[in-house]
Amino acid sequence: MRELLPDWLLSPAYAFRRAFLPRHGSFRLTRDGEGPFRLSPATGRLPHGRVLLRPSAWPTWDALELEGSVWVSGSSVRWSRWLDPPATGESMELELPYGLRDLAARLLPDPLGIRGLALELDELGAVWATRAALADGRGAVLRELLHAADGQRLAPSRLAAVAWTVREGIDAAGYARWLRTFETPSAPALERLRARALSSGLRVSIVTARRTDGPELASQLPGKVELVGSFADARGDILVPLGTGVRLAPHALPTLLCVFQERPAVTLLHADHDRAEAGSRGHPELKPVLGPELFRSRNVLRGLVAVRRSGMPEPSDPRLDDAGLYAWGLACTAGLLPESIVRVPVVLATLEARLEIDEDGERTALAQHLGRTGVQAEVAPGLAPGLHHVRYRLPAPAPRVTLVVPTRNARALVETCVRSVRRLTRYPSYEIHLVDNGSDAPDALAAFDALAQAGDVVLHRDPRPFNFSALNNAAVGRTEADVVCLINNDVEALHPEWLEEMVSVALQPGVGAVGAKLFYPDGRVQHGGVLVGLHGAADHAYAGAPGNSPGYAQQLLVRREVSAVTAACLVVRRALYLEVGGLDEEAFPVSFNDVDFCLKLRERGYRNVWTPHARLMHHESASRGKALRLEQKARADRELAALRTRWADALLDDPYHSPNLSLSSNVPRLAWPPRERRPWSF
């Protein structure tokens, strides 16, 4: 998929202007009667990226809702954010997307009789960012400068890789400001939250070893909290197993009690956490919705986890060490419906920097859990310390797989693709269907015939006008294989287990499409899953990251659920492909057909999975090129508009991407503000 940002946004001139010549804008929002305040359509372009918003002479308010539309390439997607009031005299730091129009603001409570609001917006430039960074430590200056430049690549690949390495992660200075702004309720808000929690009638039992902060925990909800040494001793409605080295935020227990009270279908919830180091907090883990593949690859439930006693799937009294709590979490989540497990995207716990991880104990617990639940697999060490690789066993005999490779000419690419698959692939039962879409180069025609005569491919001639979706649908319709693999002609296999890994995952109950880790020829990451909502559409997460980058929260090293994967290498059961109607030939003949296909699977309850244990190289768009003619640009704009129309709600928020992380960059960055309203702001 093409980068959706305009070319000028990537230029050094723009980055310099943005960093050192930030713009100021004064705007007025008005209304005739009641309802939101709106920006006049004749108003000039709004500043975008990170900005400071100054509420100039506003009436008293408790919450601000901003709404608008983001327009790119002739179509739009909805945009909205909630803000709590800043401390007296302070500005609010937030991120406005490029292309934002039709801005409207709603104040709560509604200031009756007020007809207009003055809005002052300042782009964050290098001078401001450097001053703010120096206040938190000199080491943060470079990262703040890169944030001020919108985190865009300013030079070709080598410098880009260096810049990515510097930018990756979340810097301490920015995180400290973000915590103060969005994660720390004001005193009145905290009192309101506690009052709601105390009125719920629910009681909390914290199951923990002896600890020194017991009085602090009990004081969060006086008379509603008990600390006990085992589940058997607990009398509360809500059970919180708390490991050593985990400290809860002052508003943690009121927050979880309010969630349980207001959402009676919730049985288990988990929250975000960060780590304490050198007297400060950093390395936040801002979590996605919990999926079984992610949880089997890494224990993501360290921190705050709470369960409703009445809905616990099985009575258990876990050990309170790392492996014991992991075993308990696996058993609990496996016995619950996905909709009864809720992520609370608020940082409610802080872990000690050197929290002990029992890798062997976790793998033993995981292997025992898989055995009890009837999953045929072995558990091996993952790609980094603390990670696990569940190797699912294939049934005997292994199901037949058809690899579908569409092409037009591109002899060298096709030969590389086919020969790499034939030379390296260990999977015992597969065939390659080469779909020739109107090749006219004599060398390509001869080479494809030779591959077919040698038995390397099954050759199909399909000379219709290029329609990627139709070519793949026709090929899938011709095969009787149980599993299909859509694979581009410019992809080559890198190791023997790639297809075995993808098929074994695709055969697991509830799994839809499976995607691979793809690399550019220079070794950088090309595909780390598809992030839905990125830049108001959908695009590859981590595109351009160094090949050895672990990713935020080690996402590039673990098998995990994602909203979508690229069809450059996609494995799915043929029955599921047909169940959702395959790729959409009418709305998405070339672009976004894979995103639409995966979202159709997700809509039916299937989980799409990305795996780093299947690695291939992708010479992206090598056979047809990236440059778009006018008619191709018009087609691409129509497909983008169709995606935004069909999946308008899905593009607002990807469940496998924290609402605390930005949708304006494939570099993991904090969202200013978070896309989900805080529990204490209601």
Side-chain angles (χ1 to χ4, degrees):
M1 282 174 279
R2 289 176 55 83
E3 176 64 51
L4 296 176
L5 296 178
D7 291 339
W8 61 265
L9 193 57
L10 305 179
S11 71
Y14 168 76
F16 180 86
R17 198 285 301 163
R18 174 74 196 216
F20 296 101
L21 300 172
R23 290 184 177 134
H24 167 78
S26 296
F27 305 92
R28 186 161 182 81
L29 289 78
T30 60
R31 64 179 180 178
D32 293 331
E34 297 182 358
F37 300 87
R38 298 188 181 277
L39 201 62
S40 168
T43 303
R45 180 183 299 168
L46 289 165
H48 64 276
R50 298 271 286 282
V51 302
L52 286 179
L53 183 154
R54 292 198 305 275
S56 180
W58 285 15
T60 302
W61 55 282
D62 294 329
L64 167 65
E65 181 184 16
L66 295 174
E67 296 179 313
S69 302
V70 178
W71 287 81
V72 178
S73 299
S75 60
S76 67
V77 63
R78 298 194 311 275
W79 177 89
S80 65
R81 296 291 184 271
W82 282 91
L83 288 168
D84 292 328
T88 305
E90 289 187 5
S91 300
M92 294 179 285
E93 188 174 348
L94 71 153
E95 183 177 44
L96 296 179
Y98 174 77
L100 178 62
R101 302 182 193 173
D102 310 318
L103 184 65
R106 187 189 303 272
L107 291 179
L108 297 176
D110 190 302
L112 300 177
I114 302 295
R115 293 292 177 262
L117 294 177
L119 195 64
E120 304 287 332
L121 295 174
D122 290 288
E123 291 180 345
L124 295 188
V127 174
W128 184 92
T130 303
R131 185 167 61 246
L134 284 171
D136 289 292
R138 293 169 56 189
V141 173
L142 180 57
R143 288 177 177 173
E144 291 291 354
L145 287 170
L146 288 163
H147 277 312
D150 276 2
Q152 300 302 323
R153 295 194 299 273
L154 306 182
S157 60
R158 184 169 179 80
L159 182 57
V162 173
W164 186 293
T165 303
V166 174
R167 299 197 317 260
E168 192 171 26
I170 296 171
D171 64 277
Y175 180 59
R177 292 202 314 278
W178 188 84
L179 276 177
R180 292 193 299 268
T181 305
F182 303 118
E183 293 290 296
T184 307
S186 65
L190 181 56
E191 285 306 310
R192 291 195 300 269
L193 184 72
R194 282 178 172 160
R196 283 163 52 202
L198 289 170
S199 67
S200 69
L202 299 174
R203 298 177 58 86
V204 179
S205 293
I206 299 177
V207 184
T208 183
R210 189 181 301 274
R211 50 195 304 135
T212 59
D213 63 346
E216 298 172 20
L217 293 171
S219 68
Q220 290 194 21
L221 293 170
K224 296 285 188 177
V225 179
E226 65 172 3
L227 274 71
V228 296
S230 69
F231 275 31
D233 297 329
R235 296 170 296 171
D237 308 285
I238 308 301
L239 308 181
V240 181
L242 202 60
T244 57
V246 179
R247 295 292 180 267
L248 298 186
H251 49 286
L253 298 180
T255 297
L256 71 88
L257 229 59
C258 287
V259 174
F260 276 117
Q261 171 65 14
E262 293 158 14
R263 302 178 67 174
V266 171
T267 299
L268 183 144
L269 65 78
H270 61 100
D272 295 344
H273 66 257
D274 58 16
R275 291 182 180 270
E277 48 186 29
S280 63
R281 294 166 63 183
H283 298 286
E285 184 160 334
L286 309 174
K287 301 174 185 178
V289 166
L290 184 65
E293 293 300 334
L294 174 60
F295 198 23
R296 292 171 182 177
S297 300
R298 177 171 175 264
N299 183 3
V300 292
L301 290 190
R302 298 187 180 97
L304 176 61
V305 182
V307 63
R308 196 188 300 267
R309 178 201 288 273
S310 61
M312 249 197 340
E314 59 182 58
S316 60
D317 204 351
R319 302 192 321 271
L320 297 177
D321 57 15
D322 178 64
L325 290 175
Y326 185 47
W328 174 81
L330 288 167
C332 250
T333 54
L336 295 173
L337 295 173
E339 54 269 26
S340 68
I341 302 173
V342 168
R343 164 200 62 183
V344 179
V346 182
V347 181
L348 295 180
T350 298
L351 278 56
E352 292 180 356
R354 296 184 179 181
L355 192 68
E356 184 176 346
I357 298 176
D358 181 4
E359 293 185 49
D360 292 336
E362 283 192 358
R363 280 193 276 275
T364 298
L366 178 55
Q368 292 173 347
H369 167 73
L370 294 174
R372 283 194 301 270
T373 53
V375 178
Q376 299 297 310
E378 63 180 46
V379 180
L383 298 175
L387 306 182
H388 318 305
H389 180 196
V390 176
R391 293 194 175 112
Y392 298 112
R393 295 194 184 97
L394 289 167
R400 186 79 170 162
V401 180
T402 293
L403 280 65
V404 179
V405 185
T407 191
R408 184 177 189 275
N409 296 318
R411 175 190 60 82
L413 288 172
V414 170
E415 288 180 338
T416 299
C417 173
V418 172
R419 287 171 181 168
S420 72
V421 170
R422 287 297 185 191
R423 184 179 71 254
L424 287 175
T425 304
R426 189 175 68 183
Y427 191 83
S429 179
Y430 71 92
E431 60 188 3
I432 303 174
H433 284 207
L434 182 63
V435 182
D436 180 5
N437 181 219
S439 294
D440 53 11
D443 65 330
L445 293 169
F448 300 162
D449 286 335
L451 288 171
Q453 291 168 8
D456 289 329
V457 302
V458 177
L459 181 60
H460 299 283
R461 307 285 186 188
D462 193 337
R464 75 180 78 196
F466 178 63
N467 183 316
F468 182 82
S469 297
L471 293 171
N472 280 283
N473 287 347
V476 172
R478 284 189 293 264
T479 182
E480 296 295 328
D482 296 317
V483 179
V484 293
C485 173
L486 309 186
I487 185 167
N488 280 14
N489 64 349
D490 55 354
V491 168
E492 57 182 296
L494 295 178
H495 64 105
E497 301 85 8
W498 72 274
L499 188 56
E500 181 179 345
E501 163 73 10
M502 297 181 76
V503 173
S504 68
V505 176
L507 295 178
Q508 298 308 303
V511 170
V514 179
K517 186 174 186 178
L518 303 181
F519 298 88
Y520 290 111
D522 64 4
R524 292 177 299 132
V525 175
Q526 192 267 341
H527 174 250
V530 171
L531 177 52
V532 172
L534 184 60
H535 305 310
D539 211 340
H540 292 190
Y542 295 103
N548 61 355
S549 170
Y552 174 71
Q554 298 180 297
Q555 286 183 343
L556 288 175
L557 301 180
V558 294
R559 185 192 295 151
R560 57 192 172 86
E561 284 75 11
V562 292
S563 284
V565 295
T566 178
C569 184
L570 181 154
V571 169
V572 66
R573 284 173 279 163
R574 181 172 176 269
L576 296 188
Y577 190 98
L578 299 176
E579 178 182 327
V580 299
L583 305 183
D584 190 323
E585 304 174 13
E586 299 297 326
F588 305 104
V590 179
S591 300
F592 299 118
N593 39 55
D594 44 10
V595 177
D596 175 70
F597 174 73
C598 289
L599 290 178
K600 288 189 294 186
L601 287 168
R602 196 185 81 178
E603 189 176 51
R604 294 192 177 217
Y606 298 105
R607 296 176 289 107
N608 301 309
V609 176
W610 176 87
T611 176
H613 305 294
R615 299 177 297 280
L616 302 96
M617 185 184 297
H618 186 199
H619 306 261
E620 186 180 21
S621 301
S623 60
R624 291 185 180 259
K626 282 190 173 183
L628 295 180
R629 297 191 298 271
L630 286 177
E631 65 271 19
Q632 292 173 318
K633 176 66 165 59
R635 184 265 309 154
D637 288 349
R638 287 195 300 272
E639 290 172 321
L640 175 59
L643 180 77
R644 288 173 163 171
T645 299
R646 179 175 295 179
W647 300 108
D649 291 337
L651 295 183
L652 294 177
D653 209 19
D654 188 326
Y656 300 111
H657 184 70
S658 170
N660 294 325
L661 295 174
S662 174
L663 284 174
S664 297
S665 171
N666 66 347
V667 181
R669 297 194 312 192
L670 291 167
W672 296 75
R675 291 182 299 282
E676 189 165 316
R677 199 174 174 189
R678 281 6 201 174
W680 52 84
S681 67
F682 289 93

